[in-house]
Amino acid sequence: MSSSIPRRALVVGATGIVGQNLGARLVAAGWEVHGLSRSGRAPGPGIRPMQADLADPAGLAAALDGLAPELVAITAWTRQATEAENIAVNGAAVRDLLAALEPAGSVRHVALMTGLKHYLGPFEAYAQGQMGDTPFHEDEPRLDAPNFYYAQEDELFAAAARAGFTWSVHRSHTVFGFAVGNAMNMVLTLSAYAAICRKTGRPFVFPGSETQWNSVTDVTDADLLADQIIWAATSEAGQDQAFNTANGDVFRWRWLWPQIAEHFGLEWEGFSERIRPLTESMAGTEPVWAEIAAEHGLVEPDLGRIASWWHTDSDLGREIEVLTDMNKSRKAGFTESRDSRDSFFGYVERYRAARIVP
């Protein structure tokens, strides 16, 4: 490809927290970026929106006809009621997407974002059965339980063997990032929670388990994940490999929680006797958020597009220590890291500047 022609990338799930950040990083690096989503909403400056439903093979093939990307990043999944349905739907999405792109013969690398349920098991059997010790390593065997991440990987491996492209799998932990219109985001969810606590005079109560309050954990900055995907796609050492993706530092929520409360000017409470999930404590607070949005001139009055209580509850409610080993990535040449505290508060300020939170 001529150096005067920008390299072309397709970001699948371009309106998600990872897809939005990856698209922006690719644009900044000089790529021509196409962002595929079900809504077809513009994911950000410089990203060309595309609309298609991953569950519609014919529509997907029509939307992708003639695109011919070099890099494909799959950052989307759809949660179903059972793991059997998760496997059927999300495995088929990877298979149908790559089949639609295969005739052009343009794809050189496909990056698949998964997560730590690779080690922990699916929602139905979460943290049950025999798991490896923390920190989790990439070479640990798959769990003896159905898992849609395994199905996605197998579809990726089969397509790569058939079409001859390289691949990478990126197993992220809880993602901190900036995304508009995507609620599965702990930073934004906790910021909304803090704003509601401030408005209603409630203390900022840690909603999770005693284990998560006291144990060491790590998280993934969305920009670091994006950089690792780009590195893997363009570096021989990053190809045909699975990598954990975390910031490289560790912390305890009992250390960070009081700092978050102070940042928002709130009294706080740590773990006490039982899990106090956000799905319970924040039930019925939609009118409160609407008042906050009107009072501060926020761009989104719909709390459902801001906060995902269940998603944050699932991360903070774990009854086991969860953290990952990053040595494989470092040895291969990806040595970037992030300060998780700085990452959290940096994204809070970006949300404030965008008038998404007060």
Side-chain angles (χ1 to χ4, degrees):
M1 183 177 289
S2 169
S3 61
S4 64
I5 301 174
R7 306 173 82 175
R8 182 175 295 166
L10 171 65
V11 177
V12 181
T15 58
I17 183 172
V18 175
Q20 288 188 43
N21 285 268
L22 175 59
R25 302 296 259 200
L26 285 165
V27 168
W31 289 71
E32 176 188 307
V33 182
H34 298 256
L36 181 72
S37 67
R38 189 165 46 199
S39 68
R41 182 169 55 83
I47 303 173
R48 306 178 188 193
M50 303 181 67
Q51 184 174 16
D53 189 337
L54 293 175
D56 175 12
L60 187 61
L64 296 174
D65 185 39
L67 181 64
E70 174 183 345
L71 166 62
V72 178
I74 304 172
T75 68
W77 69 286
T78 305
R79 188 183 184 190
Q80 304 297 315
T82 67
E83 193 60 18
E85 292 173 277
N86 276 330
I87 290 169
V89 171
N90 292 290
V94 173
R95 180 174 65 252
D96 294 339
L97 171 76
L98 298 179
L101 293 168
E102 190 169 332
S106 64
V107 177
R108 296 179 60 186
H109 186 86
V110 176
L112 172 67
M113 186 198 80
T114 63
L116 298 195
K117 285 188 290 297
H118 184 96
Y119 307 113
L120 296 167
F123 287 115
E124 290 179 7
Y126 195 64
Q128 300 175 22
Q130 186 66 39
M131 296 181 299
D133 287 335
T134 55
F136 296 123
H137 298 82
E138 293 91 338
D139 59 358
E140 289 162 8
R142 290 179 173 182
L143 300 178
D144 186 21
N147 192 317
F148 83 86
Y149 285 160
Y150 304 162
Q152 287 185 310
E153 285 189 347
D154 288 343
E155 295 292 352
L156 173 65
F157 301 156
R162 187 172 60 247
F165 56 75
T166 60
W167 56 267
S168 57
V169 175
H170 304 265
R171 299 171 184 162
S172 65
H173 197 171
T174 301
V175 176
F176 288 178
F178 180 85
V180 178
N182 180 268
M184 288 174 54
N185 176 350
M186 184 181 285
V187 176
L188 187 51
T189 296
L190 292 181
S191 296
Y193 174 41
I196 292 170
C197 287
R198 188 175 179 87
K199 178 72 172 177
T200 59
R202 306 185 192 190
F204 190 58
V205 175
F206 181 72
S209 68
E210 184 174 15
T211 301
Q212 288 304 304
W213 180 249
N214 290 317
S215 296
V216 171
T217 192
D218 56 17
V219 294
T220 304
D221 187 297
D223 283 346
L224 179 131
L225 174 53
D227 287 347
Q228 190 193 55
I229 288 174
I230 297 169
W231 163 79
T234 56
S235 305
E236 186 175 348
Q239 296 169 2
D240 299 332
Q241 298 290 331
F243 293 103
N244 292 333
T245 315
N247 288 350
D249 62 357
V250 296
F251 65 93
R252 302 179 200 272
W253 280 107
R254 71 186 189 200
W255 170 80
L256 185 58
W257 197 256
Q259 297 180 67
I260 298 172
E262 181 180 8
H263 190 82
F264 287 99
L266 297 168
E267 298 295 321
W268 62 274
E269 293 180 14
F271 177 85
S272 178
E273 297 183 355
R274 67 176 183 88
I275 293 174
R276 293 176 281 181
L278 294 171
T279 48
E280 293 180 7
S281 64
M282 291 291 101
T285 56
E286 292 82 3
V288 178
W289 180 259
E291 289 181 24
I292 293 169
E295 180 181 346
H296 294 275
L298 304 182
V299 298
E300 181 52 75
D302 181 358
L303 183 59
R305 287 177 54 82
I306 294 292
S308 179
W309 308 130
W310 75 267
H311 192 259
T312 292
D313 281 344
S314 69
D315 282 351
L316 296 183
R318 295 167 175 152
E319 295 289 359
I320 59 169
E321 179 183 78
V322 180
L323 72 157
T324 57
D325 183 89
M326 285 296 293
N327 282 328
K328 180 181 178 182
S329 187
R330 291 169 179 149
K331 289 176 180 177
F334 183 76
T335 58
E336 289 193 32
S337 63
R338 297 289 190 276
D339 182 303
S340 295
R341 180 189 180 280
D342 290 350
S343 174
F344 185 94
F345 292 118
Y347 286 121
V348 169
E349 292 311 306
R350 286 183 64 183
Y351 284 120
R352 282 177 164 167
R355 294 192 300 116
I356 296 171
V357 300

